């Protein structure tokens, strides 16, 4: 008898714990009119990550199958059975010991009916089961109730405006749509084109397109958080400058500096003329590399570069090139451009006179130093291509060229500095090896971008971190003299600078170790894969979007009565990862994003194909085929908010699709980001709430 109170207490605690768990599945229901005689009752559910909903059609007594129960059916009758639509997975479940069919991300169930009378009255409910890897929810019901007139008697009263505008499911051809209709395009991992729209039954929001441009409404806000292009250009310039300074200390550039300066001083007995020619030489270097940046921009364009930067083939090829360069720096072989190229440039500089000869000398430098500067320039151009700005590659190359030209000009103006400058020697070989390790690290970054955009899951976060840990541990061992390469001397040891660098490299490797268990590692968040790719994660301070589909997320936000934060992001977006690790993890920001907003992350570089490609007409009359998930969200970003850079944050009212604040882009000012979110929340609460009805 004493066990009964204990059992009752356990049951009570279990019931309380279930009551505190948020529903991981948000269902919407609608009646879709097919023709004058038939219609479909459609239940569409948005499923939280990690959960799945079981289908209606699999054998065996295991998990809860989806079933439709009719409580009242007047003026209509059922046709067939309840159907599971969309991306239904069929896998063996170890928990139940049987094969099961289930949905992830989105579930769609449809029951066809036929009208038998002029008036109909339908009352039914869907029962479904949902589980994750740890537990299952009890069977849950979704009610549906509808009264009206059959289509042949009153078509307008029986049909829903937005649903009637969708394309027929049987069409295999590309659909042609307008901006307002783009919501009908569904991901390949989700339902068919006609099922992708989720409509609430509220009369106030029916007929409003959530894809309608809101650029004018955004201008009405004080857009302090908008993308500051001048600031991003300065950052790009500084990145180029750092790359140029790094290139100076490579074996392909450093030995040329004293030879070139001595040539100018010997060529002109007048020091002023020597300095002038050295300045022209430095300016020629700047012109050559800036022209290279302009050529890349004009040949490809910003959007093409952005698309290329997330292309699997391009990223794999570029990663392999970096690996080849690294092997060369480690001493496996020597990489040089054909000698005839540099010889011809050298001959040109000797035959010509005046400014043209100096320009050809600068061009010779660019060719001779290519084996060292090429990887740095390539990485710089790829990195800035994701900015979505045609000026970015040129500004990056300007910074690189200025840094490269500085020592030539400086030593020409002050030749006495050459005596105190370190001579070429073994230290330059160390620089090459260190650069080789860095190139291997970035090669993994490019492979990771391809892995993320195409969902291969070969370089998930813990795999990526393991490789980086080993890589930087080996770099530390090399700098401390514990590791030697073929071109290193037998007596190679270490010195004080190398000791401290080796110490820092080993410490960095140790710093990354906790990341294998989910530590955020903010210092490298811009380069490592996102936290949601980690299989084993003990950290719960990160913010992950529940929805990666615009229409599903907006429907869920209407059901929860919360505003939406729309996050236009990308798998290859470095600044996006910085914001997620340095700003979103702040306790105040984390609380706002988790409890007060519905976060929808749209990846503009997602290469997953759409099941039904859509042809869109742009504002300039050109047509664009949206055949991947990334193209769909990229089109939404530039048409909805008039932007094309990532990250881009938009606060929306889910009922009307109207903005609640201005745009906000990359900015690590946490206080400003909190104010941005609070202002949007305040504007949302000022509007009258619209109850969501099924």
């Amino acid at each position: 008898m004493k066990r009964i109170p204990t059992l009752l207490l356990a049951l009570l605690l279990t019931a309380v714990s279930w009551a505190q768990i948020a529903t991981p599945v948000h269902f919407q229901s609608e009646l879709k009119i097919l023709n004058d005689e038939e219609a479909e009752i459609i239940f569409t559910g948005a499923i939280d990550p990690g959960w799945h909903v079981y289908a209606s059609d699999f054998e065996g007594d295991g998990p809860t199958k989806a079933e439709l129960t009719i409580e009242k059916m007047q003026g209509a009758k059922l046709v067939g059975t309840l159907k599971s639509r969309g991306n239904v997975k069929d896998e063996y479940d170890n928990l139940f010991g049987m094969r099961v069919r289930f949905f992830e991300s989105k579930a769609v169930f449809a029951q066809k009916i036929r009208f038998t009378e002029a008036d109909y009255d339908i009352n039914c409910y869907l029962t479904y089961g949902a589980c994750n890897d740890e537990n299952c929810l009890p069977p849950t019901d979704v009610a549906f109730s509808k009264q009206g007139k059959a289509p042949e008697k009153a078509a307008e009263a029986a049909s829903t405006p937005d649903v009637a505008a969708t394309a027929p499911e049987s069409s295999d051809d590309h659909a042609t749509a307008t901006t307002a209709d783009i919501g009908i395009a569904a991901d390949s991992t989700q339902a068919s084109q006609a099922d992708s729209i989720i409509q609430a039954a509220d009369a106030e929001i029916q007929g409003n397109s959530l894809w309608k441009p809101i650029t004018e409404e955004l201008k009405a806000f004080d857009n302090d958080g908008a993308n500051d292009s001048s600031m991003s250009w300065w950052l790009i310039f500084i990145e180029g400058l750092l790359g140029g300074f790094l290139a100076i200390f490579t074996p392909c550039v450093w030995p040329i500096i004293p030879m070139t300066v001595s040539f100018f001083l010997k060529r002109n007995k007048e020091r002023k003329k020597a300095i002038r020619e050295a300045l022209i030489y430095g300016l020629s270097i700047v012109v050559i590399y800036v022209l290279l940046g302009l050529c890349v921009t004009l040949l490809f364009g910003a959007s093409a570069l952005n698309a290329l930067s997330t292309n699997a083939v391009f990223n794999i090829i570029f990663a392999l090139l970096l690996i080849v360069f690294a092997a060369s720096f480690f001493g496996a072989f020597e990489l040089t451009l054909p000698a005839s190229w540099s010889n011809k440039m050298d001959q040109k500089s000797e035959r010509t006179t005046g400014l043209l000869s100096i320009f050809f000398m600068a061009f010779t430098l660019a060719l001779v130093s290519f084996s060292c500067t090429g990887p740095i320039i390539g990485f710089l151009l790829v990195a800035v291509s994701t900015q979505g700005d045609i000026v970015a590659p040129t500004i990056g190359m300007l910074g690189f060229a200025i840094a490269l030209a500085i020592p030539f000009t400086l030593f020409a103006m002050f030749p006495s500095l050459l005596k105190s400058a370190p001579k070429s020697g073994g230290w330059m070989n160390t620089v090459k090896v260190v650069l080789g390790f860095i190139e291997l690290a970035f090669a993994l970054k490019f492979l990771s971008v391809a892995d993320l955009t195409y969902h291969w899951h070969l370089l998930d976060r813990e795999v990526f971190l393991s490789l980086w840990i080993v890589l930087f541990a080996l770099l530390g061992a090399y700098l401390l003299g514990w590791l030697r390469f073929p071109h290193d001397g037998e007596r190679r040891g270490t010195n004080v600078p190398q000791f401290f660098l080796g110490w820092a490299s080993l410490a960095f490797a140790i710093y990354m170790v906790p990341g294998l268990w989910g530590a955020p590692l903010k210092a490298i968040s811009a380069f490592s894969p996102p936290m949601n790719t980690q299989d084993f994660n003990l950290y719960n301070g990160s913010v992950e979007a529940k929805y990666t589909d615009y229409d599903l997320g907006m429907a869920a936000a209407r059901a929860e009565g919360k505003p939406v934060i729309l996050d236009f992001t990308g798998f290859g977006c470095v600044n996006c990862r910085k914001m997620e690790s340095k700003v979103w993890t702040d306790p105040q920001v984390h609380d706002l994003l988790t409890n007060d907003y519905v976060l929808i992350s749209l990846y503009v570089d997602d290469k997953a194909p759409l099941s039904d490609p859509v042809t869109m007409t742009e504002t300039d009359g050109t047509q664009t085929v949206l055949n991947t998930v990334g193209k769909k969200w990229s089109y939404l970003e530039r048409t909805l908010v008039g932007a094309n850079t990532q990250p881009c944050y938009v606060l929306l009212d889910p009922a009307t699709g109207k903005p609640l604040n201005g745009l906000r882009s990359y900015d690590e000012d946490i206080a400003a980001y909190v104010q941005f979110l609070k202002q949007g929340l305040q504007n949302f609460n000022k509007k009258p709430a619209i109850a969501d009805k099924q």
Side-chain angles (χ1 to χ4, degrees), residues 325-338:
F325 276 115
S328 174
F329 288 169
F330 290 156
F333 47 83
E334 199 67 35
L335 272 180
T336 56
L337 286 176

Side-chain angles (χ1 to χ4, degrees), residues 101-114:
R101 288 165 54 81
F102 59 91
F103 295 96
E104 291 181 341
S105 178
K106 179 182 177 182
V108 180
F109 299 100
Q111 173 65 61
K112 183 179 288 188
I113 63 171
R114 179 175 291 115

Side-chain angles (χ1 to χ4, degrees), residues 449-489:
V449 171
D451 180 70
L452 288 169
T453 54
Y454 286 86
H455 308 284
W456 295 333
H457 298 292
L458 299 175
L459 269 179
D460 287 343
R461 190 171 184 268
E462 62 271 26
V463 177
F464 181 91
L465 290 177
S466 298
L467 294 172
W468 265 38
I469 289 169
V470 173
L471 197 62
F472 282 94
L474 290 173
L475 173 57
Y478 175 80
L479 290 171
L480 293 175
W482 304 339
L483 180 68
R484 282 199 294 266
F485 285 94
H487 51 32
D488 289 321

Side-chain angles (χ1 to χ4, degrees), residues 541-543 562 583-597 674 677-678 681:
S542 61
V543 178
K562 294 181 180 180
V583 178
W584 284 10
T585 53
D586 175 79
Q588 199 170 0
V589 176
H590 182 279
D591 181 66
L592 285 166
L593 293 179
T594 305
N595 299 323
D596 297 315
Y597 281 91
V674 170
L677 295 174
K678 285 186 174 180
L681 193 61

Side-chain angles (χ1 to χ4, degrees), residues 486-510:
H487 51 32
D488 289 321
E490 290 293 331
R491 296 183 178 180
R492 180 189 174 275
T494 188
N495 52 39
V496 174
Q498 290 182 31
F499 170 79
F500 282 108
L501 287 175
W503 177 40
S505 184
L506 289 175
F508 181 58
I510 296 172

